[in-house]
Amino acid sequence: MKKLSPKKQEIWNMLQKSFEENRSKTIVNYFEEDKNRAEEFSIQWENFFVDYSKNRLSKSTLHLLLQLAEKLDLKNAIKDYFQGAEINETEGRSVLHTALRKAKSEKVFVNDKNVIPDVIAVKDKIRSFSKKVIEGDLKGWTNKPFTDIVNIGIGGSHLGPMMVNESLTSYKNHLNVHYLANIDGDVVEKLTREINPETTLFIIVSKTFTTQETLTNANTIQKWFLEKAPKDAIKKHFVAVSNNVEKIKEFGITPENTFPMENWVGGRFSLWSTVGISIALSIGPENFEKLLLGAQKMDTHFEQTPFDKNIPVILSLIGMWYNNFWNAETEAIIPYAESLRYLPEYLQQGIMESNGKNVDRNGNKVDYQTSSIIWGATGTNSQHAFFQLIHQGTKLIPTDFIGFRESTYGNTEHHHKLMANYFAQTQALMIGKDENTVKKELEKQGKTPQEIEKLTPFKVFEGNKPSTSIIIDKITPESIGSLVAMYEHKIFVQGILWNIFSYDQWGVELGKQLANVIVEDLETNNIKDSYDSSTKSLLNHYLKND
Ligand code: F6P
């Protein structure tokens, strides 16, 4: 993989020039200049329609961005990504979540070994295990079928499965799936009041099996469980997913209940692996496999489609345009589906843990911006919360609107209203409302000239706020698989464009190390002098030491 600085490319200067020349143009201007813009700036793929015409982007700028992608050797980087090259260089690993959704007939090599047969074997194990739990063939220690599943994990071992299960609630079976992530003891307490140990299956999910939150929660749960159950009940009620099989043994979990995870699957990209076992349990293994199929279809689209019709590539370039030339700090993600409410949170980890880096692939400090800040919530709720700022605030916030053509349960009346809001928001953001229109409206309402003069500035909407509309036919396991894979590939492309390593996360380590030191001092009430004075004062306040 080449290590080229985007800023050192001649095209970067051309993009800068293009930015200066076009910055006063509005999105509406672009539509006036080109009657076919809506068609030209949209991609129809399978059951996805991606319309990126409502962006501050001219054809010539897009052309330059596409050229930049070529110059930065994106084509070969994509090959490396899919073929298992060690693109996670700082950890010496391949990045192969895409291998998890490949068909049986395909081959992907890691250290000269085709990994697909193992992937298929693990998938078979997930299928037969989840079937047995769902159908009640596997039982608890008192011979009762399982009713509840508790996934104990955090970050990538939590957010992906929780987000997918919530998105696909309409596919859910009788099992109640709970997620235990935060180390906050109140959460464990609350959970233990809701579940019956005789009918609950616990899945400890941790790639490393060293994560403080997960191990603490797992130990607390196990202790609680053993207050009610005999020791050998652990064999029936505890399952583990990890890359650290030795540690699982120490926990008393049997080989049958051990689900391995490869080190070439990054935590935040792992929902397709054994980490997704709570998904297979909740929606059934057939639907889990459809989720994988949807992702695989997006992989093929990304791998084989020319850049100008390639959804992840186009979305990445647009993101870079706002981030690096318009200086937009954030990007909002607004799904118009309540069941997708965890998607922004999931993507926060995926995007920011991957591309929140300030050192390039050569080890030099970057002199340009990398990942945007990702945030969002569902529409229409967010319209009644923070949309004011997107419409009339001072920040530029490119926004992805994600909507569906059909509702899940067929309630057309609600769905038309939901989607009317989706369309209205993107329209309002682009067109705004000018002074003349505001004045006319106020006149019609019978306001006096003085009142009109006073109120007008507050009622004007500048418009020209960018959005990208993603419309998918329906929420299905397959479409959710494609949607998540689309964002995964966007993360990859942007990492290439910014010349950063997207698949490590060293930035989360320091806080973990310090917390381990602090917890010892809190437990022994021994606040050392070596702390900085601010932290020392807070710790003493916490312990009520004078
Ligand atoms: O702290 C960050 C992180 O390492 C994430 O990248 C990961 O998803 C999460 O912690 C959980 O890690 P593990 O699965 O090893 O417990």
Side-chain angles (χ1 to χ4, degrees):
M1 203 160 63
K2 288 194 182 148
K3 298 177 176 178
L4 304 167
S5 161
K7 222 176 158 177
K8 296 217 172 93
Q9 309 303 311
E10 185 45 35
I11 298 175
W12 186 277
N13 300 330
M14 290 160 78
L15 279 162
Q16 193 58 50
K17 203 164 151 244
S18 172
F19 169 72
E20 300 301 343
E21 283 168 6
N22 292 308
R23 65 185 307 172
S24 57
K25 271 199 180 162
T26 65
I27 303 166
V28 170
N29 292 153
Y30 289 124
F31 275 99
E32 284 161 356
E33 282 170 14
D34 180 2
K35 297 290 166 230
N36 296 324
R37 182 175 170 91
E39 205 180 302
E40 285 167 8
F41 278 54
S42 59
I43 301 173
Q44 170 77 61
W45 169 80
E46 296 266 332
N47 54 8
F48 275 54
F49 185 68
V50 178
D51 176 350
Y52 55 96
S53 60
K54 288 192 179 79
N55 279 295
R56 298 180 185 178
L57 181 71
S58 71
K59 262 193 216 166
S60 58
T61 304
L62 180 59
H63 188 65
L64 287 173
L65 287 164
L66 288 163
Q67 275 180 281
L68 182 66
E70 296 284 354
K71 273 270 171 245
L72 295 172
D73 206 30
L74 179 61
K75 259 193 198 129
N76 283 317
I78 294 175
K79 276 190 199 144
D80 286 347
Y81 173 52
F82 280 100
Q83 287 173 2
E86 272 188 14
I87 61 170
N88 178 358
E89 213 178 288
T90 61
E91 294 182 320
R93 290 176 193 163
S94 311
V95 175
L96 275 177
H97 43 279
T98 52
L100 299 167
R101 44 233 194 185
K102 287 242 184 265
K104 219 176 191 165
S105 54
E106 306 242 24
K107 288 190 170 89
V108 178
F109 291 90
V110 176
N111 298 329
D112 298 327
K113 186 189 166 206
N114 178 16
V115 297
I116 299 300
D118 285 350
V119 166
I120 301 295
V122 170
K123 226 189 277 180
D124 288 346
K125 186 169 173 173
I126 295 176
R127 190 184 309 126
S128 71
F129 178 81
S130 47
K131 254 197 164 140
K132 282 187 213 153
V133 175
I134 295 166
E135 287 167 12
D137 295 338
L138 278 182
K139 295 187 169 70
W141 97 93
T142 54
N143 219 24
K144 290 184 185 155
F146 293 111
T147 56
D148 291 71
I149 311 290
V150 178
N151 186 96
I152 308 173
I154 198 163
S157 299
H158 158 238
L159 289 168
M162 180 179 73
M163 179 274 293
V164 170
N165 268 346
E166 189 63 26
S167 303
L168 297 173
T169 33
S170 60
Y171 290 80
K172 199 180 149 338
N173 55 34
H174 62 285
L175 295 169
N176 301 311
V177 184
H178 312 261
Y179 288 92
L180 182 55
N182 201 317
I183 201 163
D184 179 349
D186 291 350
V187 184
V188 192
E189 273 302 311
K190 184 171 172 282
L191 178 72
T192 53
R193 284 159 211 250
E194 289 167 4
I195 53 175
N196 175 357
E198 290 177 54
T199 56
T200 304
L201 179 72
F202 300 95
I203 313 172
I204 309 169
V205 186
S206 176
K207 181 176 171 183
T208 54
F209 230 75
T210 57
T211 304
Q212 187 197 48
E213 291 89 334
T214 303
L215 293 189
T216 307
N217 280 332
N219 280 316
T220 305
I221 281 286
Q222 203 183 59
K223 204 166 144 245
W224 168 84
F225 180 78
L226 288 176
E227 281 162 13
K228 339 248 166 214
K231 192 143 196 264
D232 68 348
I234 296 229
K235 283 193 211 133
K236 295 190 171 197
H237 288 257
F238 282 77
V239 172
V241 174
S242 184
N243 181 236
N244 192 342
V245 177
E246 279 312 303
K247 285 256 177 198
I248 297 180
K249 267 193 226 152
E250 286 168 28
F251 219 88
I253 292 170
T254 62
E256 303 84 74
N257 283 1
T258 297
F259 289 81
M261 187 185 168
E262 301 290 350
N263 77 357
W264 39 257
V265 180
R268 52 194 175 274
F269 304 96
S270 64
L271 69 88
W272 324 98
S273 72
T274 44
V275 169
I277 198 158
S278 63
I279 304 175
L281 284 163
S282 178
I283 61 172
E286 293 81 12
N287 283 323
F288 179 61
E289 282 163 31
K290 283 186 192 154
L291 178 85
L292 267 57
L293 177 69
Q296 186 210 70
K297 287 186 177 172
M298 180 56 80
D299 295 344
T300 308
H301 164 79
F302 174 55
E303 200 178 0
Q304 299 179 357
T305 309
F307 290 169
D308 61 343
K309 288 283 168 222
N310 190 313
I311 299 171
V313 173
I314 293 289
L315 296 183
S316 306
L317 293 171
I318 293 173
M320 185 188 208
W321 176 237
Y322 288 119
N323 187 50
N324 296 92
F325 296 91
W326 285 93
N327 294 327
E329 290 272 312
T330 80
E331 269 172 56
I333 295 173
I334 315 290
Y336 275 68
E338 195 52 29
S339 70
L340 266 64
R341 69 172 176 274
Y342 295 129
L343 184 70
E345 197 182 334
Y346 166 77
L347 291 174
Q348 281 180 327
Q349 188 202 10
I351 298 173
M352 297 199 279
E353 195 167 86
S354 299
N355 288 337
K357 311 283 167 66
N358 62 14
V359 171
D360 71 14
R361 293 201 291 266
N362 300 303
N364 300 320
K365 190 93 192 263
V366 293
D367 56 354
Y368 46 85
Q369 290 289 314
T370 60
S371 179
S372 302
I373 299 161
I374 303 298
W375 61 292
T378 56
T380 58
N381 298 18
S382 49
Q383 292 173 201
H384 300 272
F386 53 73
F387 263 56
Q388 164 65 37
L389 181 143
I390 304 186
H391 284 287
Q392 284 190 319
T394 52
K395 310 271 187 293
L396 174 65
I397 303 165
T399 304
D400 282 358
F401 283 77
I402 302 168
F404 296 87
R405 289 187 51 246
E406 279 177 59
S407 76
T408 302
Y409 297 106
N411 187 333
T412 316
E413 188 203 331
H414 277 251
H415 200 66
H416 281 336
K417 285 181 182 164
L418 175 71
M419 288 305 285
N421 275 282
Y422 171 111
F423 296 120
Q425 289 299 326
T426 58
Q427 188 187 23
L429 287 169
M430 175 175 75
I431 294 176
K433 198 190 275 185
D434 64 16
E435 224 180 285
N436 266 344
T437 316
V438 172
K439 283 188 170 151
K440 274 191 197 135
E441 274 182 12
L442 290 170
E443 262 167 37
K444 257 197 186 162
Q445 288 164 18
K447 301 280 182 211
T448 64
Q450 290 83 349
E451 282 171 331
I452 293 174
E453 213 45 48
K454 191 174 171 196
L455 283 174
T456 298
F458 303 101
K459 294 193 156 242
V460 166
F461 287 63
E462 279 174 1
N464 200 28
K465 313 282 185 204
S467 67
T468 298
S469 304
I470 299 165
I471 303 179
I472 304 167
D473 281 359
K474 202 173 170 175
I475 296 179
T476 63
E478 208 178 304
S479 68
I480 293 299
S482 301
L483 181 68
V484 175
M486 177 191 91
Y487 279 111
E488 284 182 345
H489 299 321
K490 180 180 172 190
I491 293 168
F492 166 79
V493 174
Q494 292 198 322
I496 299 300
L497 299 176
W498 287 320
N499 192 29
I500 53 177
F501 288 124
S502 302
Y503 298 98
D504 57 23
Q505 56 285 317
W506 303 109
V508 298
E509 293 306 319
L510 179 59
K512 287 186 194 173
Q513 280 168 10
L514 296 180
N516 283 334
V517 175
I518 291 174
V519 78
E520 266 181 36
D521 292 0
L522 293 182
E523 277 162 4
T524 54
N525 196 351
N526 173 23
I527 305 306
K528 295 187 197 79
D529 270 343
S530 50
Y531 284 108
D532 63 274
S533 59
S534 166
T535 308
K536 193 160 73 186
S537 142
L538 288 169
L539 293 174
N540 280 319
H541 172 79
Y542 174 74
L543 290 174
K544 284 198 179 298
N545 293 334
D546 295 323

